Amino acid sequence: QAQLVQSGGEVKKPGASVKVSCKASGYIFTSYGIIWVRQAHGQGLEWVGWISAHNGDTNYAQKFQGRVTMTTDTSTTTAYMELRSLRSDDTAVYYCTRGQLPVANWFDPWGQGTLVTVSS
Amino acid sequence: QSALTQPPSASGSPGQSVTISCTGTSSDIGGYNYVSWYQQHPGKAPKLMIYDVSKRPSGVPDRFSGSKSGNTASLTVSGLRAEDDADYYCSSYAGSNNFVFGTGTKVAVL
Protein backbone atom coordinates (compact mmCIF):
# COMPACT_ATOMS: atom_id res chain seq x y z
CA GLN A 1 0.00 0.00 0.00
CA ALA A 2 1.09 3.59 -0.47
CA GLN A 3 3.41 4.90 2.22
CA LEU A 4 5.29 8.13 2.86
CA VAL A 5 8.27 8.18 5.25
CA GLN A 6 9.75 11.53 6.27
CA SER A 7 13.17 12.52 7.53
CA GLY A 8 13.88 13.09 11.20
CA GLY A 9 13.41 16.17 13.34
CA GLU A 10 15.57 19.24 12.87
CA VAL A 11 16.70 22.09 15.12
CA LYS A 12 17.71 25.27 13.32
CA LYS A 13 18.69 28.81 14.25
CA PRO A 14 16.72 31.83 13.01
CA GLY A 15 17.76 32.77 9.50
CA ALA A 16 18.90 29.26 8.60
CA SER A 17 17.35 26.85 6.07
CA VAL A 18 15.87 23.39 6.48
CA LYS A 19 15.26 20.64 3.93
CA VAL A 20 12.76 17.91 4.75
CA SER A 21 12.52 14.72 2.69
CA CYS A 22 9.55 12.47 2.01
CA LYS A 23 10.25 8.97 0.64
CA ALA A 24 7.32 7.43 -1.27
CA SER A 25 6.69 3.73 -1.83
CA GLY A 26 3.88 1.37 -2.81
CA TYR A 27 2.53 3.40 -5.74
CA ILE A 28 3.58 4.95 -9.04
CA PHE A 29 5.32 8.09 -7.81
CA THR A 30 4.99 10.08 -11.04
CA SER A 31 1.22 9.55 -11.24
CA TYR A 32 0.53 11.74 -8.22
CA GLY A 33 1.41 15.01 -6.60
CA ILE A 34 2.89 15.71 -3.17
CA ILE A 35 1.35 18.29 -0.87
CA TRP A 36 3.15 19.81 2.13
CA VAL A 37 1.17 20.84 5.21
CA ARG A 38 2.40 22.19 8.53
CA GLN A 39 0.95 22.29 12.04
CA ALA A 40 2.27 24.42 14.88
CA HIS A 41 1.87 22.98 18.36
CA GLY A 42 -1.78 23.05 19.39
CA GLN A 43 -2.78 24.74 16.14
CA GLY A 44 -4.58 23.73 12.95
CA LEU A 45 -3.37 22.46 9.61
CA GLU A 46 -1.84 24.95 7.18
CA TRP A 47 -1.28 24.28 3.48
CA VAL A 48 2.30 25.11 2.43
CA GLY A 49 2.38 24.05 -1.22
CA TRP A 50 2.01 21.42 -3.92
CA ILE A 51 4.29 19.77 -6.44
CA SER A 52 3.46 17.47 -9.33
CA ALA A 53 5.73 14.44 -9.30
CA HIS A 54 4.78 14.00 -12.96
CA ASN A 55 6.33 17.19 -14.35
CA GLY A 56 7.65 19.19 -11.38
CA ASP A 57 5.04 21.93 -11.54
CA THR A 58 4.65 23.71 -8.23
CA ASN A 59 2.31 26.08 -6.46
CA TYR A 60 3.08 27.61 -3.10
CA ALA A 61 0.82 29.31 -0.59
CA GLN A 62 1.25 33.05 -0.92
CA LYS A 63 2.73 33.49 2.57
CA PHE A 64 5.62 31.13 1.74
CA GLN A 65 6.41 32.34 -1.77
CA GLY A 66 10.05 33.35 -2.04
CA ARG A 67 11.04 31.28 1.01
CA VAL A 68 10.03 27.74 0.01
CA THR A 69 11.16 25.40 -2.75
CA MET A 70 9.64 21.99 -3.43
CA THR A 71 11.36 19.40 -5.60
CA THR A 72 11.12 15.72 -6.44
CA ASP A 73 13.68 13.06 -7.39
CA THR A 74 11.90 10.46 -9.50
CA SER A 75 14.92 8.12 -9.42
CA THR A 76 14.54 7.72 -5.66
CA THR A 77 10.79 8.51 -5.43
CA THR A 78 11.55 11.20 -2.89
CA ALA A 79 10.04 14.66 -2.48
CA TYR A 80 11.79 17.54 -0.74
CA MET A 81 10.69 20.77 0.84
CA GLU A 82 13.25 23.47 1.60
CA LEU A 83 12.26 26.44 3.75
CA ARG A 84 14.68 29.36 4.03
CA SER A 85 15.10 32.38 6.31
CA LEU A 86 13.58 30.46 9.18
CA ARG A 87 11.78 32.34 11.95
CA SER A 88 10.61 31.17 15.34
CA ASP A 89 7.03 30.96 14.07
CA ASP A 90 8.11 28.38 11.50
CA THR A 91 8.44 25.93 14.40
CA ALA A 92 5.94 23.22 13.51
CA VAL A 93 5.42 19.64 12.43
CA TYR A 94 5.68 19.45 8.65
CA TYR A 95 3.73 16.71 6.87
CA CYS A 96 3.90 15.46 3.31
CA THR A 97 0.88 13.78 1.77
CA ARG A 98 -0.08 12.39 -1.62
CA GLY A 99 -2.67 13.95 -3.90
CA GLN A 100 -4.20 13.05 -7.23
CA LEU A 101 -3.29 14.71 -10.51
CA PRO A 102 -4.31 17.00 -12.08
CA VAL A 103 -6.34 18.11 -9.03
CA ALA A 104 -5.48 16.84 -5.56
CA ASN A 105 -9.07 16.31 -4.47
CA TRP A 106 -7.90 14.20 -1.54
CA PHE A 107 -4.74 13.86 0.57
CA ASP A 108 -3.82 10.26 1.41
CA PRO A 109 -1.70 8.78 2.89
CA TRP A 110 0.24 11.16 5.13
CA GLY A 111 3.82 10.92 6.27
CA GLN A 112 4.55 10.62 9.98
CA GLY A 113 5.52 14.29 10.22
CA THR A 114 8.85 16.06 10.80
CA LEU A 115 9.25 18.45 13.71
CA VAL A 116 11.23 21.52 12.75
CA THR A 117 12.26 23.63 15.72
CA VAL A 118 13.61 27.14 15.15
CA SER A 119 15.39 28.49 18.20
CA SER A 120 18.43 30.60 18.97
CA GLN B 1 -6.49 32.61 1.17
CA SER B 2 -8.29 32.62 4.53
CA ALA B 3 -8.89 29.45 6.50
CA LEU B 4 -12.32 27.85 6.27
CA THR B 5 -14.43 28.42 9.38
CA GLN B 6 -15.31 25.50 11.66
CA PRO B 7 -16.77 25.52 15.18
CA PRO B 8 -14.01 25.00 17.77
CA SER B 9 -15.79 22.13 19.45
CA ALA B 10 -18.66 19.66 19.23
CA SER B 11 -19.74 16.81 21.46
CA GLY B 12 -22.14 13.94 21.85
CA SER B 13 -22.75 10.82 23.89
CA PRO B 14 -21.98 7.37 22.52
CA GLY B 15 -24.57 6.38 19.94
CA GLN B 16 -25.59 9.95 19.21
CA SER B 17 -24.81 11.99 16.10
CA VAL B 18 -22.73 15.11 15.71
CA THR B 19 -22.52 17.43 12.71
CA ILE B 20 -19.60 19.76 12.02
CA SER B 21 -19.91 22.70 9.64
CA CYS B 22 -17.20 24.16 7.42
CA THR B 23 -17.87 27.57 5.87
CA GLY B 24 -15.91 29.06 3.01
CA THR B 25 -16.61 31.23 0.00
CA SER B 26 -17.62 30.92 -3.64
CA SER B 27 -13.88 30.76 -4.46
CA ASP B 28 -13.36 27.52 -2.60
CA ILE B 29 -16.19 25.37 -1.19
CA GLY B 30 -18.88 27.01 -3.30
CA GLY B 31 -16.86 26.79 -6.50
CA TYR B 32 -15.79 23.15 -6.50
CA ASN B 33 -17.00 19.74 -5.35
CA TYR B 34 -13.57 19.01 -3.89
CA VAL B 35 -14.21 19.15 -0.16
CA SER B 36 -12.45 16.57 2.00
CA TRP B 37 -12.43 15.83 5.73
CA TYR B 38 -9.60 14.58 7.94
CA GLN B 39 -9.56 13.02 11.40
CA GLN B 40 -6.55 13.59 13.63
CA HIS B 41 -5.84 11.94 16.97
CA PRO B 42 -3.31 13.58 19.33
CA GLY B 43 0.25 13.10 18.17
CA LYS B 44 -0.81 11.38 14.95
CA ALA B 45 -0.94 12.33 11.30
CA PRO B 46 -4.32 13.25 9.81
CA LYS B 47 -6.42 10.52 8.18
CA LEU B 48 -8.69 10.98 5.15
CA MET B 49 -12.34 10.36 6.06
CA ILE B 50 -14.39 11.96 3.24
CA TYR B 51 -13.46 13.28 -0.21
CA ASP B 52 -15.33 14.90 -3.11
CA VAL B 53 -17.87 16.22 -0.56
CA SER B 54 -19.52 12.90 0.26
CA LYS B 55 -17.38 9.93 -0.84
CA ARG B 56 -15.84 7.57 1.70
CA PRO B 57 -12.47 5.90 1.13
CA SER B 58 -12.30 2.16 1.55
CA GLY B 59 -12.14 1.25 5.23
CA VAL B 60 -13.90 4.34 6.59
CA PRO B 61 -17.12 3.36 8.43
CA ASP B 62 -20.41 4.43 6.88
CA ARG B 63 -21.13 6.26 10.13
CA PHE B 64 -19.20 9.11 8.53
CA SER B 65 -21.02 11.13 5.87
CA GLY B 66 -20.50 14.45 4.12
CA SER B 67 -22.63 17.02 2.33
CA LYS B 68 -22.47 20.53 0.92
CA SER B 69 -24.86 23.40 0.39
CA GLY B 70 -23.62 26.60 -1.20
CA ASN B 71 -20.44 27.75 0.56
CA THR B 72 -20.86 25.42 3.55
CA ALA B 73 -19.86 21.78 3.84
CA SER B 74 -20.78 19.44 6.68
CA LEU B 75 -19.48 16.24 8.22
CA THR B 76 -21.87 14.05 10.21
CA VAL B 77 -20.70 11.29 12.49
CA SER B 78 -23.56 8.97 13.43
CA GLY B 79 -23.56 6.37 16.17
CA LEU B 80 -20.67 8.05 17.99
CA ARG B 81 -18.01 5.75 19.37
CA ALA B 82 -15.18 6.44 21.80
CA GLU B 83 -12.61 6.23 19.01
CA ASP B 84 -14.31 9.12 17.17
CA ASP B 85 -12.99 11.47 19.88
CA ALA B 86 -10.51 13.50 17.79
CA ASP B 87 -9.90 16.70 15.88
CA TYR B 88 -11.55 17.07 12.48
CA TYR B 89 -10.43 19.34 9.65
CA CYS B 90 -12.14 20.19 6.39
CA SER B 91 -10.22 21.11 3.26
CA SER B 92 -11.25 22.58 -0.07
CA TYR B 93 -9.70 23.12 -3.46
CA ALA B 94 -9.48 26.83 -4.24
CA GLY B 95 -8.47 26.75 -7.91
CA SER B 96 -5.10 26.70 -9.70
CA ASN B 97 -3.71 24.04 -7.36
CA ASN B 98 -4.37 26.12 -4.27
CA PHE B 99 -5.88 24.47 -1.20
CA VAL B 100 -7.24 25.68 2.11
CA PHE B 101 -7.92 23.93 5.42
CA GLY B 102 -10.54 24.60 8.02
CA THR B 103 -9.77 25.92 11.50
CA GLY B 104 -10.48 22.50 13.03
CA THR B 105 -13.14 21.11 15.37
CA LYS B 106 -12.48 19.07 18.48
CA VAL B 107 -15.12 16.37 18.83
CA ALA B 108 -15.59 15.02 22.34
CA VAL B 109 -17.42 11.77 22.97
CA LEU B 110 -18.91 12.28 26.42
Side-chain angles (χ1 to χ4, degrees):
Chain A
Q1 71 282 18
Q3 186 177 16
L4 300 172
V5 178
Q6 299 183 224
S7 49
E10 303 262 13
V11 179
K12 297 291 183 181
K13 294 192 181 303
S17 299
V18 68
K19 193 169 186 177
V20 179
S21 68
C22 172
K23 167 72 174 176
S25 62
Y27 70 96
I28 300 173
F29 184 66
T30 52
S31 293
Y32 294 85
I34 294 288
I35 294 87
W36 290 89
V37 177
R38 77 178 187 180
Q39 185 173 38
H41 183 66
Q43 302 300 308
L45 303 174
E46 181 176 28
W47 178 68
V48 178
W50 163 93
I51 181 167
S52 166
H54 175 66
N55 59 13
D57 283 351
T58 57
N59 192 47
Y60 306 135
Q62 191 167 6
K63 71 178 287 186
F64 299 103
Q65 286 182 5
R67 282 208 304 142
V68 69
T69 300
M70 295 176 185
T71 57
T72 59
D73 182 340
T74 57
S75 68
T76 60
T77 64
T78 301
Y80 299 92
M81 183 205 65
E82 181 181 35
L83 189 61
R84 301 177 293 278
S85 301
L86 289 168
R87 308 185 288 254
S88 58
D89 62 358
D90 289 319
T91 295
V93 175
Y94 289 75
Y95 293 101
C96 63
T97 179
R98 182 184 64 161
Q100 287 206 119
L101 293 174
V103 174
N105 54 319
W106 46 252
F107 306 147
D108 180 71
W110 293 61
Q112 82 277 22
T114 296
L115 176 60
V116 174
T117 303
V118 182
S119 174
S120 55
Chain B
Q1 190 73 39
S2 299
L4 307 173
T5 301
Q6 297 181 233
S9 63
S11 63
S13 300
Q16 291 186 329
S17 295
V18 66
T19 297
I20 304 166
S21 62
C22 171
T23 302
T25 69
S26 58
S27 297
D28 38 64
I29 291 178
Y32 308 93
N33 288 321
Y34 292 144
V35 176
S36 52
W37 289 88
Y38 301 87
Q39 177 191 66
Q40 186 180 36
H41 288 108
K44 300 294 187 182
K47 174 188 174 184
L48 176 67
M49 304 302 285
I50 294 286
Y51 69 98
D52 289 356
V53 177
S54 60
K55 298 177 181 176
R56 274 179 292 105
S58 174
V60 172
D62 60 6
R63 302 184 294 104
F64 291 85
S65 61
S67 62
K68 187 187 91 166
S69 177
N71 297 338
T72 298
S74 299
L75 173 72
T76 298
V77 186
S78 305
L80 273 171
R81 300 170 63 116
E83 59 261 38
D84 300 332
D85 195 298
D87 294 329
Y88 291 83
Y89 294 91
C90 58
S91 177
S92 177
Y93 184 64
S96 302
N97 287 308
N98 287 287
F99 304 87
V100 61
F101 283 99
T103 50
T105 298
K106 181 171 182 55
V107 170
V109 180
L110 305 173

